[in-house]
């Protein structure tokens, strides 16, 4: 299978995750770039930030039109992560590739476990969402946002697969609102992390990144339509099992 076709297929899958779940794009993009398209771990994490940033901007516009973005808590959450994301981006270049891969796989596994474990907020049967958003506590939003910023900077992930559970469980947003708001967080954190990775831009294969991004943007629109038809819990569980499989593969590959 040609590199172009692989890039298009992988991009479509990443877009479906971002559009349907408000996250998970990077955690799928990084292994696809490494194992299917031949990127190094450092180059893959940088490329994934570019792909996910552009895709998230497109998807964010659609969610905002539908009123599914909570701007104030989203901006507060993201602002707290800007500094940590930039610091993490600086540190990432000095981490060995194997250590970076292991850290990425462990983070993906923890995120999957967080999605699967019981005790999540009560869901409505149609959208998989609490009945209404709860009041946001700024200290909790800032603390969660800072932690997410570190993960974004070091691992090159937009953080949506961690942001959505945090926005639901910590800030009390409805699932549907959390998905839209997480895209705002992804864009801001990813741009902050990219600001510290400009030195790696020259080594990126833009002939792969461009079609990957285009397919992801189109896939995100399909993901948003899919999310309107399938319950939030079902989408989360499917994605969580995919995350576990990806995490296990990357961990075993890095250790063998």
């Amino acid at each position: 299978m040609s590199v172009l076709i692989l890039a298009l297929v992988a991009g479509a899958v990443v877009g479906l995750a971002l559009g349907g779940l408000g996250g998970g794009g990077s955690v799928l993009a990084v292994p696809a770039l490494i194992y299917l398209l031949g990127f190094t771990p450092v180059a893959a994490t940088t490329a994934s930030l570019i792909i996910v940033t552009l895709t998230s901007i497109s998807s964010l516009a659609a969610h905002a039109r539908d009123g599914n973005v909570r701007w104030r808590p989203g901006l507060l959450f993201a602002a707290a992560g800007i500094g940590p994301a930039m610091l993490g981006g600086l540190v990432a270049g000095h981490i060995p590739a194997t250590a970076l891969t292991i850290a990425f796989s462990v983070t993906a596994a923890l995120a999957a476990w967080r999605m699967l474990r019981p005790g999540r907020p009560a869901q409505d049967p149609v959208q998989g969402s609490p009945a209404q958003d709860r009041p946001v506590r700024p200290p909790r939003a800032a603390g969660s946002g800072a932690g997410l910023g570190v993960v974004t900077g070091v691992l090159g992930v937009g953080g949506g697969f961690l942001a959505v559970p945090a926005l639901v469980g910590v800030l009390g947003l409805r699932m549907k609102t959390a998905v839209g708001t997480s895209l705002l967080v992804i864009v801001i954190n990813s741009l902050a992390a990219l600001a510290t990775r400009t030195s790696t831009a020259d080594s990126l294969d833009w002939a792969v990144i461009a079609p990957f991004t285009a397919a992801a943007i189109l896939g995100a629109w399909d993901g948003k339509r899919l999310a309107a038809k399938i319950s939030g819990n079902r989408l989360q569980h499917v994605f969580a099992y995919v995350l576990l499989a990806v995490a296990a593969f990357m961990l075993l590959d890095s250790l063998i």
Side-chain angles (χ1 to χ4, degrees):
M1 189 179 294
S2 72
V3 172
L4 176 60
I5 294 175
L6 285 173
L8 291 172
V9 172
V13 173
V14 167
L16 282 171
L18 273 170
L21 295 167
S26 296
V27 82
L28 296 178
V30 170
L33 289 165
I34 294 173
Y35 296 107
L36 296 180
L37 300 169
F39 281 55
T40 66
V42 174
T45 54
T46 301
S48 75
L49 286 171
I50 296 170
I51 293 165
V52 171
T53 298
L54 295 175
T55 307
S56 297
I57 289 173
S58 172
S59 195
L60 174 63
H63 280 274
R65 282 197 300 270
D66 292 342
N68 294 330
V69 179
R70 288 285 301 278
W71 295 98
R72 184 175 178 275
L75 289 171
L76 176 63
F77 193 96
I82 291 176
M86 296 183 74
L87 180 61
L90 292 172
V91 171
H94 303 285
I95 299 176
T98 299
L100 199 62
T101 303
I102 292 173
F104 187 95
S105 61
V106 170
T107 302
L110 289 173
W113 172 80
R114 176 71 175 80
M115 290 181 177
L116 290 171
R117 74 185 181 91
R120 297 180 60 80
Q123 308 288 312
D124 75 45
V126 178
Q127 296 296 341
S129 308
Q132 59 184 3
D133 296 335
R134 298 197 302 269
V136 174
R137 298 179 180 178
R140 297 184 71 182
S144 299
L148 183 65
V150 173
V151 175
T152 298
V154 173
L155 300 182
V157 298
F161 68 104
L162 295 174
V164 172
L167 290 169
V168 172
V170 177
L171 301 191
L173 300 188
R174 295 176 296 122
M175 182 62 193
K176 195 171 183 180
T177 307
V179 168
T181 305
S182 74
L183 293 167
L184 174 64
V185 176
I186 291 169
V187 170
I188 295 174
N189 279 351
S190 297
L191 287 174
L194 277 171
T196 65
R197 291 172 175 252
T198 54
S199 60
T200 63
D202 293 337
S203 63
L204 298 180
D205 188 347
W206 294 98
V208 171
I209 294 174
F212 197 121
T213 304
I217 290 173
L218 293 175
W221 288 87
D222 289 332
K224 183 176 179 296
R225 287 194 289 268
L226 181 66
K229 299 177 181 178
I230 302 178
S231 72
N233 271 338
R234 182 174 298 178
L235 279 174
Q236 285 185 58
H237 287 172
V238 169
F239 182 65
Y241 289 122
V242 172
L243 274 185
L244 283 175
V246 169
F249 174 80
M250 293 185 73
L251 186 60
L252 288 173
D253 182 74
S254 63
L255 295 176
I256 294 176

